[in-house]
């Protein structure tokens, strides 16, 4: 089965979906509303499930070559004491690949490189679709109107297409946390590849990159909409007394490199990820908090499963039904787990609760931490035929 598809959104999920669709013989147009592909963003970690999805899509090798394996690190308290250690070697032994760290800009570039340049249309904002014909979808795009057999709504947490398809759904909700993040301007000397540090209502973490630079993030309990005149200076004031290498990471960062976003999620799960010949993918379908590092991985899973379903099923309708069955329960379960991880991590503030959590983490065997990661990362994608 082949056809024509329009992917709304040129982020990680949208690009991955386009790659998968082209691999199975579909004609694809990716409509990205940004007028210029500035490749903004900090960094992410990709777990084995995301890497496996990339392998199915044919870009896993390129991503591995550009990423840095994350073997060492764990979770600490602001004074520097360890709560739990990460055993990246054990994860690699169990899953065949370690967690890897990569900048979003590099990942975007690698995904785009797997597509013909003419597939991507920038400055193309899609705010609605016409579903009056059950066999085709009409997509207004500027002064033109595209027709497609399939529309993939990968337009993010604030998805306008989701709002059109599910007008009664409350949409994304503020998680109670805001995140500031940046990539250092220069390489930094780090003793570990990946760390999280939990304080009262605050988290600071880093991911090391292959070129020696690092991404850092600071997650804070905060009302939505709070912004700082000098975000970097605010982070120095908030985290400057925390353990090394936090001060060094902040010192290696340009003030204009700091990004600040409030974290929103779909607390109310969608009843379905499909509507006719439209399918929701990535954050548009299951926006989650970043506490498990699974947001991008779940979008990559979506892309691989969608392509496989279109190969396996005789019609678009049956393929989307299969996609919904395979993706909705899993991704919504991961979103719930991420929300709970945040409540037990950075959002935890009561001194007794914090002390109990810290004691439990210190006493937990390292194998328990590996099992926690395996619960979400040990996923095998379907083949594409």
């Amino acid at each position: 089965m082949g056809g024509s598809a329009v992917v709304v959104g040129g982020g990680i999920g949208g690009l991955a979906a386009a790659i998968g669709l082209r691999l199975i013989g579909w004609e694809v147009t990716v409509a990205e509303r940004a007028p210029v592909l500035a490749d903004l963003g900090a960094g992410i970690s990709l777990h084995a499930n995301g890497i496996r999805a990339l392998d199915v899509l044919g870009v896993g090798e390129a991503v591995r070559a550009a990423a840095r394996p994350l073997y060492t690190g764990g979770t600490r308290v602001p004074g520097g004491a360890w709560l739990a250690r990460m055993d990246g070697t054990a994860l690699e032994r169990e899953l065949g690949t370690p967690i890897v760290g990569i900048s979003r800009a590099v990942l975007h570039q690698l995904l785009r490189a797997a597509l013909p340049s003419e597939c991507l249309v920038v400055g193309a904002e899609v705010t609605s679709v016409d579903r009056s014909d059950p066999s085709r979808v009409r997509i207004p795009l500027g002064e033109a109107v595209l027709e497609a057999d399939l529309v993939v709504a990968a337009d993010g947490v604030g998805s306008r297409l989701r709002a059109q398809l599910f007008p009664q759904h409350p949409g994304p909700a503020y998680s109670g946390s805001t995140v500031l993040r940046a990539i250092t301007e220069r390489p930094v000397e780090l003793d570990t590849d990946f760390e999280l540090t939990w304080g009262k209502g605050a988290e600071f973490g880093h991911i090391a990159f292959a070129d020696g630079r690092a991404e850092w993030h600071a997650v804070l309990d905060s009302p939505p909409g709070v912004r700082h005149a000098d975000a970097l200076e605010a982070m120095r004031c908030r985290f400057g007394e925390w353990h090394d290498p936090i001060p060094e990471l902040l010192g290696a960062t340009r003030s204009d490199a700091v990004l600040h976003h409030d974290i929103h999620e779909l607390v109310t799960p969608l009843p379905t990820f499909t509507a006719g010949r439209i399918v929701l993918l990535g954050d548009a379908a299951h926006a989650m908090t970043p506490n498990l590092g699974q947001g991008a991985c779940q979008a990559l899973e979506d892309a691989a499963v969608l392509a496989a379903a279109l190969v396996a099923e005789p019609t678009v309708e049956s393929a989307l039904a299969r996609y919904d069955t395979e993706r909705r329960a899993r991704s919504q379960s991961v979103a719930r787990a991420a929300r709970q991880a945040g409540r037990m991590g950075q959002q935890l503030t009561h001194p007794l609760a914090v002390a109990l959590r810290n004691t439990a983490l210190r006493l937990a065997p390292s194998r328990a931490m590996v099992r926690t990661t395996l619960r979400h990362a040990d996923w095998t994608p379907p083949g594409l035929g």
Side-chain angles (χ1 to χ4, degrees):
M1 177 176 56
S4 61
V6 172
V7 177
V8 181
I12 292 171
L15 292 172
I19 292 168
L21 289 168
R22 281 187 52 82
L23 281 175
I24 62 171
W26 282 60
E27 297 180 4
V28 183
T29 299
V30 180
E32 167 54 46
R33 68 180 180 180
V36 178
L37 295 172
D39 286 328
L40 297 175
I44 56 174
S45 57
L46 292 175
H47 292 245
N49 54 319
I51 295 293
R52 289 172 178 175
L54 289 166
D55 284 337
V56 167
L57 298 173
V59 289
E61 184 176 347
V63 171
R64 283 188 182 87
R68 172 168 170 165
L70 306 179
Y71 288 112
T72 61
T75 306
R76 304 171 79 173
V77 296
W82 289 96
L83 295 176
R85 295 273 190 173
M86 180 181 79
D87 190 344
T89 301
L91 285 172
E92 184 177 33
R93 188 165 54 246
E94 293 276 358
L95 298 170
T97 181
I99 302 170
V100 302
I102 191 169
S103 76
R104 285 183 176 270
V106 170
L107 182 56
H108 286 176
Q109 290 161 12
L110 292 172
L111 293 173
R112 286 204 306 273
L115 293 167
S117 58
E118 61 268 21
C119 279
L120 185 61
V121 181
V122 299
E125 186 169 16
V126 177
T127 60
S128 64
V129 293
D130 180 352
R131 296 187 291 148
S132 57
D133 182 348
S135 66
R136 300 281 284 174
V137 185
R138 294 168 59 85
I139 307 101
L141 200 62
E143 297 182 357
V145 176
L146 302 182
E147 290 194 0
D149 300 300
L150 172 68
V151 171
V152 180
D155 51 343
V157 60
S159 172
R160 294 188 179 185
L161 295 188
R162 183 186 62 230
Q164 179 190 355
L165 299 174
F166 301 98
Q168 303 305 314
H169 189 272
Y174 181 54
S175 68
S177 298
T178 192
V179 59
L180 296 94
R181 50 195 163 194
I183 296 175
T184 61
E185 185 178 16
R186 55 176 170 78
V188 287
E189 292 292 333
L190 298 171
D191 294 329
T192 58
D193 301 321
F194 171 86
E195 285 186 17
L196 294 178
T197 300
W198 286 337
K200 183 178 179 181
E203 170 186 299
F204 195 100
H206 77 250
I207 301 170
F209 291 159
D211 63 3
R213 296 181 302 155
E215 183 260 11
W216 61 261
H217 72 265
V219 184
L220 303 168
D221 290 352
S222 170
V226 174
R227 294 296 182 266
H228 307 282
D230 186 334
L232 183 59
E233 182 58 30
M235 294 304 95
R236 286 173 174 153
C237 292
R238 182 68 178 82
F239 297 101
E241 299 301 318
W242 285 28
H243 65 79
D244 294 332
I246 292 173
E248 182 182 359
L249 288 164
L250 295 173
T253 304
R254 295 196 327 268
S255 60
D256 61 355
V258 181
L259 305 174
H260 189 176
H261 298 97
D262 293 335
I263 300 172
H264 290 80
E265 58 171 329
L266 288 186
V267 176
T268 302
L270 290 172
T272 176
F273 286 175
T274 69
R277 287 174 171 256
I278 304 171
V279 59
L280 296 170
L281 183 146
D283 283 350
H286 45 67
M288 61 190 68
T289 63
N291 302 94
L292 294 178
Q294 277 289 328
C297 292
Q298 291 302 304
L300 293 169
E301 285 189 21
D302 290 347
V305 170
L306 176 60
L310 288 165
V311 168
E313 293 293 327
T315 68
V316 171
E317 290 81 4
S318 61
L320 297 193
R322 180 171 182 157
Y323 167 87
D324 183 61
T325 298
E326 294 188 14
R327 291 304 306 147
R328 185 155 47 90
R330 172 167 165 78
S331 60
Q332 290 176 346
S333 173
V334 173
R336 288 192 299 271
R339 187 180 311 122
Q340 184 62 28
R343 290 171 179 168
M344 294 303 295
Q346 154 262 326
Q347 290 184 331
L348 202 63
T349 58
H350 192 283
L352 179 58
V354 169
L356 289 172
R357 178 204 64 198
N358 290 356
T359 299
L361 284 173
R362 288 191 182 102
L363 295 176
S366 60
R367 178 64 189 170
M369 305 306 295
V370 171
R371 284 198 303 268
T372 298
T373 302
L374 291 176
R375 187 176 304 138
H376 308 296
D378 192 8
W379 172 86
T380 300
L384 299 187

